[in-house]
Amino acid sequence: MIDKLKRKFIVTATVCMFFLMTALVLIMNIVNYCGVVSESNAILDVLSRPDAPLFIEENLDEGFPPEIPENMRGFVPSGMSLEVPFESRFFIVTVSKDGEILQSDLSRIISVDENSAKQYIDRALNSRKDRGFVGDFRYSRKADEMGTRILFLDCGRKLDTFRDFLWISIVSGLFGCVAVFLAFVLTAGKIVAPIAESYEKQKRFISDAGHEIKTPLTIINANVDLLESDGENEELADIRDQVRRLTELTNNLVLLSKMEEAEHTLRKTEVSLSDLVSSTAGSFRAPAALHDIDFTVRITPDLTIVGSADTLRQMVSVLLDNAVKYSPEGGRITLELAAHKKKAVLTITNATKDKVDKKDLQYVFDRFYRTDTSRNSMTGGHGIGLSIARAIAGAHGGTISASTESGQDFCVTVALPL
């Protein structure tokens, strides 16, 4: 159990760390990308204004002026350097409604010629968006009297930086997850050590207490036998019944404590599960008939698993005993054993006297849990049988679950590897 707890802790902590790193990487890169888009849009807003000093004819004739005109400040938003519009690489085209190029200016970029410009134009027009990305170019289009004016801004360096950061953050995140996983593997033992110590003390207490309790119970039972030699009475019968119940509970607690750590210590052999379930079910036909319960058995023959025959028989007995105890007079019990996806699946379903609440199903395998909040023990059980069944199934590498369809039935499903 402690090994399972360590594995569960490592897996849970690593998965949480993975999702945390994924969220951080995602948020950082979304913010980074939004920054690229926002900055590109701001530059497009400046460059798309034909009345900006950048496009005044005399400035174009003279090339980039050594000094930025004072009135340029009215076109550049706060926070943006006045040099940015002049440093940007872009080209502008005006196209007709038919997509024909009416005017183009490729003087501010070297990497684009007429042919490649036409490809960018077609993709921008097909996107049906006023702004977007075409390759490494951010475009902005606006209709005027002449046609549609499209400005393409080269964002290659910004996008390259974004991609580099994306890959670095992904690799760093994965490296961090691996490092955390290794750290958890190395420290998991120390982290769960207090739990392991407490669990071991609990097991030792149950085992020691179980053996200590058996002695006085044996003495009490012997004294009852001695007193009954003088004549039976109701009080002695009640004492014997309670001694029997306490002895059964003690034995079950000791068994449960052993079974929870028995996965690697059970002596397992090849077992005919079909024959084992069939013979065990046969012994419950009489108790079922006594309560007028319809008992149906459907078993697929020749199903064989590797396990402990004694403990498997006890698991089936516990489940059938539970079904008989909680079935109403004239009820029904159905037992099915079949192969499904390389597993032997045992299903035991019974009608119930009281309504089964689905929210209780997650607790039915806990020790001493009863759906009856009054803790009524009229059925003769201790609320520990299903815990034993779960421990036995787990010791064989299997799973066990409970379900209900109508609320007036209770179904236990055990899946064991073939």
Side-chain angles (χ1 to χ4, degrees), residues 80-216:
M80 180 186 293
S81 171
L82 295 176
E83 297 286 348
V84 170
F86 292 95
E87 295 172 347
S88 302
R89 314 308 296 169
F90 61 93
F91 66 96
I92 306 171
V93 294
T94 303
V95 297
S96 65
K97 294 181 179 179
D98 298 330
E100 181 183 353
I101 300 177
L102 302 177
Q103 186 179 0
S104 64
D105 179 6
L106 306 180
S107 61
R108 302 295 182 122
I109 195 164
I110 298 176
S111 61
V112 178
D113 55 21
E114 293 289 344
N115 292 330
S116 58
K118 183 66 171 65
Q119 295 177 4
Y120 288 125
I121 293 167
D122 292 340
R123 291 171 64 183
L125 292 174
N126 291 334
S127 70
R128 298 181 180 180
K129 295 180 180 178
D130 291 334
R131 284 189 175 178
F133 278 104
V134 176
D136 287 344
F137 286 88
R138 180 79 176 170
Y139 72 86
S140 174
R141 70 183 190 182
K142 186 175 183 181
D144 55 23
E145 301 83 8
M146 296 179 59
T148 302
R149 188 169 183 265
I150 308 177
L151 172 64
F152 292 88
L153 175 65
D154 183 11
C155 300
R157 282 184 292 182
K158 293 185 180 68
L159 291 175
D160 286 341
T161 302
F162 165 74
R163 295 185 190 107
D164 290 341
F165 181 80
L166 174 63
W167 284 111
I168 291 172
S169 61
I170 291 175
V171 172
S172 300
L174 291 175
F175 178 79
C177 288
V178 172
V180 169
F181 171 76
L182 294 176
F184 283 142
V185 169
L186 295 174
T187 61
K190 294 182 179 180
I191 293 174
V192 302
I195 300 175
E197 182 181 357
S198 175
Y199 179 73
E200 289 298 326
K201 288 181 178 179
Q202 174 186 315
K203 278 204 315 174
R204 191 160 52 249
F205 170 76
I206 292 175
S207 180
D208 294 345
H211 290 296
E212 291 296 328
I213 291 174
K214 285 181 181 180
T215 300

Side-chain angles (χ1 to χ4, degrees), residues 52-352:
L54 186 65
F55 299 105
I56 296 176
E57 198 66 35
E58 56 268 24
N59 287 338
L60 293 176
D61 293 338
E62 297 175 5
F64 291 105
E67 295 183 3
I68 299 176
E70 185 66 27
N71 59 350
M72 187 68 187
R73 300 180 185 278
F75 295 88
V76 178
S78 61
M80 180 186 293
S81 171
L82 295 176
E83 297 286 348
V84 170
F86 292 95
E87 295 172 347
S88 302
R89 314 308 296 169
F90 61 93
F91 66 96
I92 306 171
V93 294
T94 303
V95 297
S96 65
K97 294 181 179 179
D98 298 330
E100 181 183 353
I101 300 177
L102 302 177
Q103 186 179 0
S104 64
D105 179 6
L106 306 180
S107 61
R108 302 295 182 122
I109 195 164
I110 298 176
S111 61
V112 178
D113 55 21
E114 293 289 344
N115 292 330
S116 58
K118 183 66 171 65
Q119 295 177 4
Y120 288 125
I121 293 167
D122 292 340
R123 291 171 64 183
L125 292 174
N126 291 334
S127 70
R128 298 181 180 180
K129 295 180 180 178
D130 291 334
R131 284 189 175 178
F133 278 104
V134 176
D136 287 344
F137 286 88
R138 180 79 176 170
Y139 72 86
S140 174
R141 70 183 190 182
K142 186 175 183 181
D144 55 23
E145 301 83 8
M146 296 179 59
T148 302
R149 188 169 183 265
I150 308 177
L151 172 64
F152 292 88
L153 175 65
D154 183 11
C155 300
R157 282 184 292 182
K158 293 185 180 68
L159 291 175
D160 286 341
T161 302
F162 165 74
R163 295 185 190 107
D164 290 341
F165 181 80
L166 174 63
W167 284 111
I168 291 172
S169 61
I170 291 175
V171 172
S172 300
L174 291 175
F175 178 79
C177 288
V178 172
V180 169
F181 171 76
L182 294 176
F184 283 142
V185 169
L186 295 174
T187 61
K190 294 182 179 180
I191 293 174
V192 302
I195 300 175
E197 182 181 357
S198 175
Y199 179 73
E200 289 298 326
K201 288 181 178 179
Q202 174 186 315
K203 278 204 315 174
R204 191 160 52 249
F205 170 76
I206 292 175
S207 180
D208 294 345
H211 290 296
E212 291 296 328
I213 291 174
K214 285 181 181 180
T215 300
L217 288 177
T218 302
I219 296 174
I220 294 173
N221 210 32
N223 287 331
V224 170
D225 289 339
L226 183 62
L227 291 174
E228 283 184 340
S229 63
D230 296 331
E232 294 185 5
N233 59 60
E234 185 177 345
E235 288 76 11
L236 291 176
D238 184 58
I239 292 173
R240 184 180 293 281
D241 182 60
Q242 296 304 319
V243 168
R244 179 192 59 78
R245 282 176 50 80
L246 187 54
T247 301
E248 182 182 344
L249 173 60
T250 302
N251 291 335
N252 283 339
L253 283 173
V254 174
L255 172 65
L256 180 58
S257 179
K258 291 179 179 179
M259 289 305 305
E260 287 180 340
E261 291 295 325
E263 183 175 357
H264 303 294
T265 58
L266 276 181
R267 297 184 62 181
K268 298 179 181 179
T269 58
E270 193 172 90
V271 178
S272 175
L273 188 62
S274 299
D275 294 343
L276 184 148
V277 172
S278 178
S279 62
T280 306
S283 63
F284 280 87
R285 291 191 179 276
L290 185 64
H291 296 280
D292 195 25
I293 296 173
D294 180 20
F295 190 12
T296 303
V297 177
R298 291 190 287 269
I299 298 176
T300 301
D302 302 324
L303 291 183
T304 302
I305 69 170
V306 176
S308 167
D310 291 338
T311 56
L312 288 171
R313 186 176 290 105
Q314 184 166 9
M315 179 188 71
V316 179
S317 297
V318 164
L319 297 179
L320 286 174
D321 183 59
N322 188 75
V324 171
K325 285 178 180 176
Y326 292 98
S327 292
E329 295 285 338
R332 70 184 186 282
I333 296 175
T334 301
L335 181 150
E336 295 185 18
L337 178 65
H340 181 66
K341 295 182 179 180
K342 296 183 179 181
K343 290 187 177 182
V345 180
L346 173 66
T347 305
I348 298 176
T349 306
N350 64 280
T352 57

